[in-house]
Amino acid sequence: MSRIALVTGGGRGIGRAISLALAQSGHAVVVNYAANATAADEVVGLIEASGGQAIALAGNVGVGADVQRIFEQTSETLGPVDVLVNNAGITRDGLLMRMGEDEWNDVLQTNLSSVYLCTKAAMRSMVRGKWGRIISISSVSGIAGNPGQANYAASKAGIIGFTKSIAKEVGTRGITANVVAPGFIATDMTAALGEGAESAAASSAAVGRMGTPEEVAAAVDFLASDAASYITGQVLVVDGGLAL
C-alpha cells in the first residue's frame, strides 16, 4: 500500500520537484496549491502518466479552516497523511525601516503559521499509526539572515525551532521531523531577481553554480524514506556550500 504524501505549494518550483520525486518513490501525492490550478493539475497529470496516484487540492495553508478541509479531503480520497512536506512559502522583501505590518504578517502566516497548522493536523493520525515523516522547507536565510528579508528569515528560522521542538515531542512515536534548508535554487522566484543576482549567487557557492529543484527534492525524498528513520530534529542544508 502506498504511503500518502501531502506537499504544500506542490505545483511549482521546489514543490513541484518534491511532488514528482515522492511519486517516483511510490507515494500517493496530494499536490496542494493556493491559486495556480493549472500548474498543480499538470503535476498530477505527469504523476498519473507515469503510473502513479495523485490529486490536486486548493487551499491557503496559512488559514486553519482551509487546512482542516485539505486534510479531510485527503483522508476521504486517499487516506491519512503519512508524509507531510511543508513547502509553501512567499517573499515580501524590503528593508525593515520600510516594511509594513501586512508584509510582515503575510510572510509569517504563509511560511510559518502554515507549518504549525499542517503539522498539527497531520500529527494525530501519525501518532495513531506510529509512523510519520514531517519535512519542512526552510532556507539558508533562516540560518544566516539576509538584508531585506527580516520577515522571510524570521519565518524560516522559526521553522527550525518549531521542528526541533516537535521532534522531541513525537520521537518515541515513530515520527521524525526534519528541515531542508536550500540555498539559491533555480526557480521562478529566483529568476525574478535578474541575471546579475543569479550570477552573484552562483559564484558565491562553493560548487560555482545555483542548485536545481530536483537536488532539493532528493534530500526530501531521502528524509521521507525508511532509510532516514534515525534522523530527526536535523537541518539538512542544500546550498552547494553557499553558507560555508
Side-chain angles (χ1 to χ4, degrees):
M1 183 177 177
S2 298
R3 284 180 173 145
I4 296 150
L6 168 61
V7 183
T8 69
R12 299 173 61 194
I14 291 172
R16 170 192 168 100
I18 292 169
S19 296
L20 294 173
L22 290 174
Q24 188 67 33
S25 293
H27 296 82
V29 180
V30 180
V31 181
N32 159 256
Y33 66 96
N36 195 331
T38 301
D41 288 339
E42 181 184 339
V43 174
V44 170
L46 289 170
I47 291 171
E48 290 179 339
S50 63
Q53 186 177 15
I55 59 172
L57 290 179
N60 181 347
V61 288
V63 176
D66 279 19
V67 170
Q68 183 178 350
R69 175 180 51 77
I70 290 165
F71 275 81
E72 286 175 352
Q73 289 179 326
T74 298
S75 186
E76 291 168 3
T77 307
L78 298 173
V81 172
D82 301 299
V83 176
L84 170 63
V85 182
N86 292 306
N87 167 75
I90 61 170
T91 57
R92 297 286 185 270
D93 293 352
L95 295 175
L96 183 63
M97 292 284 287
R98 301 172 186 165
M99 186 177 292
E101 285 188 44
D102 286 348
E103 293 168 317
W104 173 269
N105 290 331
D106 288 350
V107 170
L108 269 290
Q109 180 180 13
T110 299
N111 295 9
L112 183 57
S113 293
S114 64
V115 175
Y116 152 71
L117 291 167
C118 290
T119 301
K120 186 176 180 181
M123 196 77 79
R124 191 176 300 277
S125 63
M126 288 182 178
V127 168
R128 194 160 48 240
K130 298 181 180 178
W131 196 96
R133 297 287 185 268
I134 299 161
I135 304 156
S136 299
I137 307 302
S138 179
S139 167
V140 291
S141 295
I143 299 171
N146 204 28
Q149 287 194 319
N151 49 2
Y152 183 77
S155 71
K156 294 301 187 177
I159 288 171
I160 293 172
F162 175 88
T163 299
K164 288 178 179 291
S165 296
I166 63 164
K168 292 182 176 181
E169 290 185 15
V170 298
T172 60
R173 306 297 184 93
I175 303 167
T176 65
N178 291 289
V179 171
V180 173
F184 281 105
I185 307 299
T187 65
D188 292 343
M189 188 181 292
T190 53
L193 299 174
E195 287 186 17
E198 287 191 10
S199 177
S203 62
S204 298
V207 299
R209 64 173 177 84
M210 295 179 71
T212 68
E214 290 73 22
E215 287 170 318
V216 179
V220 174
D221 189 37
F222 166 66
L223 290 172
S225 72
D226 286 323
S229 59
Y230 203 57
I231 301 171
T232 196
Q234 301 304 305
V235 181
L236 178 51
V237 179
V238 184
D239 72 343
L242 180 70
L244 292 176

